[in-house]
Amino acid sequence: MPQAHYNLALKAGKKTIQANEAAGLPTSLPSLDDILENESVRAEVPLGLIDIPTELIAGTRTKARASSFAPDFMPVLEDGSEFSMKWKSLCSAHLQEGIRDPVIAYEYLNKYYILEGNKRVSVLKFFNAASVPGYVTRIIPAWQDTEQIRLYYEFLDFYDATNIYFILFSREGSYRKLCSLTDQPFHKRWSFEDRIDLRSCYIRFEEAFRVVNDNRLSCTPGDAMLTYLFLFGYDQLKQETPDQIQSNLKKVWEEIDLNLNEDREDSRVALKMDPTPDHRKNIITNLFTSTSKAAKADSRIAFIHSKTAETSSWTYGHELGRMYIQDIFHGQIETTSYDNNTGSEDALASIEQAISEGNTIIFTTSPQFLSASITAAVNHPEVKILNCSLNASHKYIRTYYARMFEAKLLSGILAGIMTDTNKIGYIADYPIAGMLSNINAFSIGAKMVNPDAKIYLEWSTLKKNQGVDLTAKLSDLGANYISHHDMIVPRRASRRFGLYRVTGEKPVNLAFPIWDWGKYYERIIYSIWHGTWNTEEKSDSNKAVTYWWGMSAGVIDIVCSEAVPQESRMLLSALKNALIHYDLNPFSGVLRSQEGILSQDPENRLTAKEIIYMDWLADNVIGSIPDWRDLIESAQPFVRQEGITRRGPVPAKE
């Protein structure tokens, strides 16, 4: 029997060498000596005895052993050699009682290289053993600011907290994301029970994933598990069997495939900058179009809010939108609001309640409800669910947002015209996707008409700003014109919204941007009734559909008060028309940030993705992007999900 196994292993090794020769790939095992020849090492750390996953064993420690094996560890020396005799002896031992003696290995960048026990590894790989016991020494590379080294150092931090070495990712930030999804700290030691729970979950998930994947996706099981955790939650995964995980994986396979291609943004997202023509028919024509049959099928529409219209200007805006469509579609639809959903769990419960009450279109109006929206959509494919968020793209729902930076550009132009001190205040709330484009468009607009204008930036969610009158603070600096909230909060009515002047006893409002959610919802509903929704689904079958409409769609506008001179209003009207026809773009031509010139090309225009994920401030801004740790506690979860930092995604909690 060992003889037959060696013959098969030898045949497999030769076949691998032939295939590699044809492909121009190495024909022998990698050796760590060769790899480290031109690399700097920071330290060597003994890990003790561990079970080494055989799929992570990449080669030998020394060059001398490399030529005895094919790149897949199969033997290449002919039968009758001393090598073959030892291999067959180990094979016999494995078949009779199992190979128990540990190998000696080195780990480098999550790959393992065998110093002693190469033939044992060869035999165990031939029999598809899952792991090999081994005494391992970790070789830590010297720090370099490269993606590979940054990811590895992130792994080292995760290992220090968990002692888990077999969960691997291909993208930077994934270990932090895993900690966030499992509600664990990143830089603190996990309890024994928490480590056991994660090990158990991963082992069951890996088993299910390998069955469903069947080599279709080239990713790590860890990469796929992050998407699974986002969709179903850690508590559910802890209770599931491999068979249940397999069943759920099949349901959400398109979502996993989509997320694993996130580096190819153009191929995974269908970004709709404007409604399709069917959405934009004359409103009178639409009202008299025969939609009764379609309307009956989609006559109940739900809105899931994080707060109430009385306590939140954001919810108030969406409620105005709901009331608008209730009026415009009078007698054709019924709408219901589900308020005060404080988290994903509440939101999911409200979505389920809305579905049980017959709602077939559901708008979740906060980015915090993204995971709840996707989970519900997976379980209820017959329901159309849309989430109001900007930096998300998911197959089973659609997302929608508005290009508010267009209105902010006009507001900044007006501020640049009106200021008499060249100091303008800007109060922002969350450092999230889209916010920096608003700030920068405002700043660029002010500079377009006033090269000396400076924008003094304050963040209302900073811990140090709690209890501080930011309007008074900015006014004391000489900023008599300030941009603040886009809308009032009904229960806390104040004139401090939009762009206002603070000279005198009371603020004087000059202009404020409008989120016309009613028109947004109206056009989406028509797209469903007239079949455009289905057309988009078919034409973009392998993509996530995201709506990012602006002034050209009529969902963003700016309103000026009588305090604005007629000449300035005429200028803003002309510039608004230019924005509508895409003849004006604040992020085109030469762009300068606080750190220098970003673009010197007069023909350059930032892409939609570059605008959405903007992580810089214009050179005339006095202020900075805050660290998430400096924000108030209630803001941190939101910013961890939607936030923008100079180094990619905001990390999990420390």
Side-chain angles (χ1 to χ4, degrees):
M1 186 67 72
Q3 180 65 56
H5 288 316
Y6 188 79
N7 292 341
L8 289 174
L10 181 62
K11 183 178 179 180
K14 290 181 176 180
K15 185 176 180 180
T16 298
I17 289 176
Q18 290 174 352
N20 279 23
E21 283 179 340
L25 298 174
T27 56
S28 62
L29 275 177
S31 76
L32 188 56
D33 286 345
D34 287 333
I35 294 170
L36 295 177
E37 192 171 357
N38 298 312
E39 300 293 337
S40 298
V41 172
R42 193 185 94 180
E44 293 190 9
V45 180
L47 302 182
L49 180 64
I50 66 173
D51 283 325
I52 307 170
T54 52
E55 67 175 359
L56 298 181
I57 299 177
T60 68
R61 171 65 210 241
T62 62
K63 299 178 184 180
R65 303 292 180 91
S67 60
S68 299
F69 303 92
D72 57 358
F73 253 102
M74 292 301 100
V76 295
L77 299 181
E78 293 297 335
D79 189 23
S81 63
E82 181 183 357
F83 175 96
S84 70
M85 300 300 291
K86 291 181 178 179
W87 195 99
K88 286 182 281 188
S89 176
L90 287 168
C91 178
S92 179
H94 174 71
L95 293 172
Q96 291 176 14
E97 57 186 23
I99 294 176
R100 300 175 182 176
D101 293 336
V103 300
I104 298 177
Y106 288 81
E107 181 258 303
Y108 180 72
L109 294 176
N110 297 127
K111 298 292 185 182
Y112 295 82
Y113 301 86
I114 307 301
L115 177 65
E116 293 183 12
N118 286 284
K119 286 185 284 296
R120 274 171 274 168
V121 169
S122 179
V123 170
L124 290 169
K125 274 184 172 278
F126 175 77
F127 285 102
N128 295 316
S131 63
V132 177
Y135 291 100
V136 176
T137 299
R138 171 172 290 150
I139 298 179
I140 301 177
W143 170 257
Q144 300 177 55
D145 194 15
T146 64
E147 184 177 3
Q148 182 186 37
I149 299 300
R150 291 196 303 268
L151 175 59
Y152 186 71
Y153 270 68
E154 186 182 336
F155 158 77
L156 293 178
D157 288 337
F158 176 76
Y159 177 83
D160 287 343
T162 64
N163 278 118
I164 294 175
Y165 55 88
F166 47 81
I167 300 180
L168 302 180
F169 298 106
S170 60
R171 293 191 183 94
E172 188 180 356
S174 294
Y175 290 100
R176 293 179 180 275
K177 187 175 181 180
L178 176 62
C179 291
S180 180
L181 290 169
T182 54
D183 199 30
Q184 292 292 334
F186 182 65
H187 280 304
K188 294 181 182 178
R189 187 73 173 169
W190 291 26
S191 70
F192 177 77
E193 292 77 12
D194 288 333
R195 284 180 276 153
I196 291 298
D197 281 346
L198 183 59
R199 286 172 183 265
S200 174
C201 284
Y202 178 78
I203 290 169
R204 283 180 283 111
F205 180 86
E206 181 186 32
E207 177 186 339
F209 175 74
R210 293 195 186 283
V211 172
V212 178
N213 186 34
D214 194 25
N215 295 319
R216 287 185 289 169
L217 300 179
S218 58
C219 67
T220 71
D223 291 333
M225 191 172 77
L226 286 184
T227 300
Y228 192 93
L229 286 171
F230 180 79
L231 295 175
F232 295 106
Y234 189 40
D235 288 339
Q236 178 173 324
L237 179 58
K238 285 193 284 189
Q239 305 300 321
E240 289 179 326
T241 65
D243 286 345
Q244 291 171 323
I245 297 170
Q246 280 186 44
S247 177
N248 285 331
L249 278 172
K250 291 173 183 177
K251 288 182 187 177
V252 299
W253 194 255
E254 291 182 34
E255 178 75 8
I256 291 173
D257 188 14
L258 190 70
N259 283 341
L260 293 174
N261 291 327
E262 68 177 13
D263 292 333
R264 297 185 283 113
E265 190 72 21
D266 57 337
S267 65
R268 69 188 291 262
V269 178
L271 187 64
K272 308 294 185 182
M273 303 293 284
D274 280 297
T276 55
D278 280 350
H279 298 216
R280 305 180 68 179
K281 290 179 180 177
N282 181 276
I283 190 67
I284 301 298
T285 303
N286 272 326
L287 284 174
F288 289 97
T289 300
S290 176
T291 59
S292 58
K293 180 181 284 188
K296 287 179 182 178
D298 297 295
S299 59
R300 295 184 65 87
I301 301 173
F303 291 79
I304 313 297
H305 300 313
S306 60
K307 296 181 181 178
T308 67
E310 293 75 27
T311 58
S312 164
S313 62
W314 182 257
T315 301
Y316 178 52
H318 286 280
E319 271 296 277
L320 290 177
R322 182 188 67 82
M323 289 187 284
Y324 173 86
I325 62 167
Q326 184 78 54
D327 182 60
I328 205 75
F329 294 113
H330 182 69
Q332 292 180 289
I333 64 170
E334 293 180 38
T335 65
T336 307
S337 293
Y338 298 80
D339 295 337
N340 283 325
N341 295 280
T342 57
S344 185
E345 188 174 331
D346 286 349
L348 183 56
S350 289
I351 296 171
E352 292 289 349
Q353 180 183 347
I355 293 172
S356 70
E357 293 173 356
N359 291 280
T360 54
I361 303 174
I362 297 177
F363 294 99
T364 59
T365 61
S366 169
Q368 300 174 69
F369 303 154
L370 180 63
S371 62
S373 301
I374 299 171
T375 300
V378 168
N379 293 324
H380 301 280
E382 74 283 0
V383 179
K384 295 175 176 64
I385 299 178
L386 299 96
N387 176 252
C388 187
S389 59
L390 182 57
N391 69 335
S393 51
H394 298 276
K395 181 62 182 173
Y396 300 100
I397 65 169
R398 299 194 185 185
T399 55
Y400 63 101
Y401 212 74
R403 300 194 299 271
M404 177 50 67
F405 73 83
E406 295 175 344
K408 293 293 186 179
L409 171 69
L410 300 182
S411 184
I413 289 171
L414 180 58
I417 293 171
M418 300 295 291
T419 179
D420 51 6
T421 65
N422 293 330
K423 296 179 179 180
I424 303 166
Y426 194 110
I427 301 174
D429 46 18
Y430 303 100
I432 59 174
M435 179 59 71
L436 296 183
S437 62
N438 292 347
I439 297 168
N440 287 332
F442 182 93
S443 305
I444 291 169
K447 193 174 182 180
M448 286 170 63
V449 295
N450 184 346
D452 296 324
K454 302 293 182 185
I455 310 303
Y456 288 78
L457 174 63
E458 292 287 346
W459 297 89
S460 62
T461 53
L462 280 175
K463 294 174 184 175
K464 69 177 184 180
N465 283 338
Q466 300 312 291
V468 176
D469 186 338
L470 294 179
T471 293
K473 179 180 178 179
L474 290 167
S475 180
D476 290 343
L477 292 173
N480 295 331
Y481 290 85
I482 297 172
S483 175
H484 202 351
H485 296 300
D486 298 338
M487 294 187 67
I488 62 171
V489 179
R491 189 177 288 178
R492 301 191 300 272
S494 166
R495 288 186 174 272
R496 294 180 178 184
F497 67 94
L499 179 67
Y500 55 92
R501 185 174 64 233
V502 292
T503 53
E505 292 185 6
K506 293 183 179 180
V508 176
N509 298 100
L510 279 79
F512 63 92
I514 294 177
W515 303 76
D516 198 334
W517 294 116
K519 289 183 179 177
Y520 219 133
Y521 293 134
E522 176 192 10
R523 293 177 182 231
I524 289 175
I525 293 167
Y526 273 129
S527 80
I528 295 170
W529 287 0
H530 289 291
T532 308
W533 177 284
N534 293 333
T535 302
E536 291 173 340
E537 190 170 272
K538 290 176 182 177
S539 63
D540 299 302
S541 59
N542 296 319
K543 298 181 181 181
V545 176
T546 296
Y547 303 119
W548 195 35
W549 300 346
M551 285 189 168
S552 58
V555 300
I556 289 293
D557 206 344
I558 186 170
V559 174
C560 294
S561 73
E562 293 298 322
V564 177
Q566 177 65 23
E567 295 80 5
S568 297
R569 275 186 273 171
M570 290 174 62
L571 174 61
L572 293 184
S573 179
L575 294 174
K576 174 185 169 182
N577 191 59
L579 284 167
I580 289 173
H581 292 91
Y582 294 98
D583 294 326
L584 175 62
N585 184 328
F587 306 118
S588 61
V590 178
L591 294 174
R592 295 181 175 86
S593 74
Q594 291 176 333
E595 298 177 357
I597 295 178
L598 290 173
S599 170
Q600 300 189 61
D601 182 0
E603 302 299 322
N604 179 61
R605 283 195 173 200
L606 295 189
T607 65
K609 182 179 179 181
E610 289 171 329
I611 294 172
I612 292 170
Y613 294 100
M614 195 171 282
D615 64 352
W616 51 270
L617 291 170
D619 63 342
N620 61 330
V621 175
I622 310 300
S624 61
I625 304 170
D627 187 282
W628 72 279
R629 299 172 187 82
D630 297 329
L631 303 175
I632 57 176
E633 186 174 350
S634 61
Q636 290 182 9
F638 183 36
V639 174
R640 279 201 298 271
Q641 177 176 306
E642 295 289 311
I644 295 294
T645 72
R646 299 307 305 273
R647 298 285 299 186
V650 175
K653 62 185 180 182
E654 299 296 313

